[in-house]
Amino acid sequence: MDFVHFLSSHMLDPATGGKRLYADTVAQAIHAEHCGYRGVGIPEHHLVNILLVPSPLQMAVKIAAHTSRLKLVTSICQLPIRDMRVFAGEVVQAQALCDGRLMLGVGKGAFGYETGRIDVPMEETRDRFEEALAVLEALLTREEVSWSGTHYRFDPLTIMPRPEDPIPLMLGVMAPAAIEAAARRGYHVQTTPLSAAHGVLESQVAAFFRGREQNPASQSRLSLQRGVFLVTSESQRRRMVETAHRYYQSFDNVFGGPGIVDQGIIRPLPRAQTAEELGQNILICQKDEMIDRLAAYADMGIDEVITTSVFGQPQEETLAMMSLFSQEVMPHLLPLRRKAA
């Protein structure tokens, strides 16, 4: 099993500013390479103060300049809010500047607040995504492309420069039916149960393997994003669970919630799920429990875990946890390979 550190990039205090926010983000990526993580996951969100990376490709290029082997996973680029004729060229440029280390994760977007403010209603994102994905793949794989569809109509054109390295695609999807369809089509899949219980995770993994079984030639990988924070005491566990719960008060507001945002700052709202219930679902625990729970993920066939470990705690605590996780947990899990394939 491999591990990817998710660059959450929260600006819970607006006084932090972008310079400090992104310096800390790059420092986490450099530390992830030092600790032996396979890669980093780079989010994309706009107009809000959590997961705040407006240009994931730009961030990938910056990190590539400071690392040598780290896989750079966009997690995810939102296709419905972009023009694929522009984006395809940006992808080729980023792949060239990242020395071929880019894994292009794409999806339809998750926050109705931001897509709505960009004039793409959430109810339209799925249809727009499907056509945008087809256009993007055509532009990246065929020299000359014309299109006549619902959202794209254009005469023959060629994206320049042409890709010199393969650009692997990973689809970010959560619904089991969508996961199964993506795996059936041979795509790498990135999914997450967010703060939900283990049963939701099991249904997502089962959907991936149902789809993969229908495509015997597929070499697709399954990446699971999950809250992961290694603690050394019960008191630290309780504190980090409370910190994560406060973060989800903001997240839930824009993910399926009312989308109440005050000058870019998401308003924290009460949650139906208690802090203790959240702590039972995500992996905020001590060493032995962490190893056991992640080993169960490996037994299920999950190829890599994208670890969401930043919930608003100080940067120093994040870096220290990453070091501890790499020393005490990763050596037990890295040798494990997919058993359910």
Side-chain angles (χ1 to χ4, degrees):
M1 176 181 284
D2 295 312
F3 294 95
V4 170
H5 174 70
F6 188 61
L7 299 171
S8 298
S9 191
H10 307 323
M11 194 165 66
L12 302 184
D13 179 0
T16 301
K19 291 181 180 179
R20 173 66 182 275
L21 177 70
Y22 296 127
D24 285 353
T25 300
V26 173
Q28 287 178 32
I30 294 169
H31 193 59
E33 178 165 91
H34 174 75
C35 289
Y37 287 79
R38 179 176 184 261
V40 290
I42 307 170
E44 179 198 340
H45 283 289
H46 307 266
L47 313 176
V48 293
N49 63 316
I50 65 171
L51 305 168
L52 182 54
V53 180
S55 178
L57 294 180
Q58 188 178 63
M59 179 62 75
V61 170
K62 174 68 173 179
I63 293 169
H66 292 275
T67 59
S68 60
R69 61 156 188 83
L70 210 58
K71 197 76 174 176
L72 305 160
V73 184
T74 59
S75 183
I76 50 85
C77 290
Q78 301 181 43
L79 298 192
I81 64 174
R82 290 184 163 83
D83 188 317
M84 292 302 99
R85 291 162 291 188
V86 176
F87 184 61
E90 293 174 338
V91 169
V92 174
Q93 181 184 37
Q95 179 71 323
L97 295 174
C98 291
D99 302 318
R101 290 187 275 143
L102 182 68
M103 166 69 81
L104 185 64
V106 299
K108 69 180 185 65
F111 294 173
Y113 172 83
E114 66 180 339
T115 62
R117 294 302 190 278
I118 305 173
D119 297 325
V120 180
M122 181 56 73
E123 57 269 21
E124 295 182 12
T125 55
R126 180 174 179 179
D127 182 62
R128 287 176 178 266
F129 169 75
E130 290 293 341
E131 184 172 353
L133 178 62
V135 172
L136 176 63
E137 290 190 279
L139 293 170
L140 292 177
T141 58
R142 290 157 38 192
E143 287 197 9
E144 189 169 76
V145 178
S146 60
W147 204 267
S148 179
T150 303
H151 304 288
Y152 285 88
R153 291 178 180 272
F154 54 84
D155 293 332
L157 56 82
T158 300
I159 294 301
M160 294 292 290
R162 302 302 303 153
E164 296 177 62
D165 298 313
I167 301 175
L169 273 172
M170 173 180 282
L171 301 196
V173 284
M174 291 178 60
I179 294 170
E180 182 175 345
R184 184 171 60 247
R185 294 161 67 185
Y187 290 112
H188 301 300
V189 171
Q190 177 185 145
T191 194
T192 177
L194 294 175
S195 62
H198 187 71
V200 174
L201 183 158
E202 290 178 318
S203 68
Q204 292 171 324
V205 173
F208 173 81
F209 283 106
R210 283 198 305 272
R212 194 169 179 271
E213 287 170 0
Q214 298 171 56
N215 185 352
S218 174
Q219 297 296 314
S220 59
R221 286 170 57 91
L222 176 61
S223 299
L224 176 84
Q225 187 177 0
R226 195 62 153 156
V228 173
F229 198 96
L230 180 64
V231 299
T232 58
S233 68
E234 176 59 21
S235 62
Q236 186 189 20
R237 187 196 72 83
R238 289 195 299 269
R239 176 172 60 81
M240 285 307 305
V241 167
E242 289 292 341
T243 300
H245 193 257
R246 286 194 297 272
Y247 163 72
Y248 273 105
Q249 288 178 330
S250 295
F251 182 91
D252 290 354
N253 180 348
V254 287
F255 182 79
I260 303 172
V261 179
D262 305 309
Q263 295 182 314
I265 306 301
I266 303 170
R267 189 181 302 177
L269 298 178
R271 306 185 71 229
Q273 184 186 51
T274 68
E276 194 55 39
E277 288 170 341
L278 172 66
Q280 292 170 0
N281 292 346
I282 63 177
L283 279 65
I284 298 180
C285 51
Q286 296 188 48
K287 174 184 174 180
D288 289 344
E289 181 181 350
M290 180 72 74
I291 292 171
D292 288 345
R293 293 179 71 177
L294 288 172
Y297 287 6
D299 288 342
M300 293 169 66
I302 295 168
D303 293 293
E304 70 183 7
V305 175
I306 302 175
T307 59
T308 297
S309 302
V310 180
F311 303 104
Q313 73 274 8
Q315 169 83 344
E316 296 73 19
E317 189 170 5
T318 300
L319 299 179
M321 194 288 303
M322 293 170 66
S323 295
L324 189 66
F325 185 82
S326 71
Q327 295 161 8
E328 298 200 353
V329 174
M330 285 170 57
H332 297 272
L333 281 302
L334 288 174
L336 299 181
R337 288 295 177 259
R338 173 188 284 165
K339 296 180 181 180

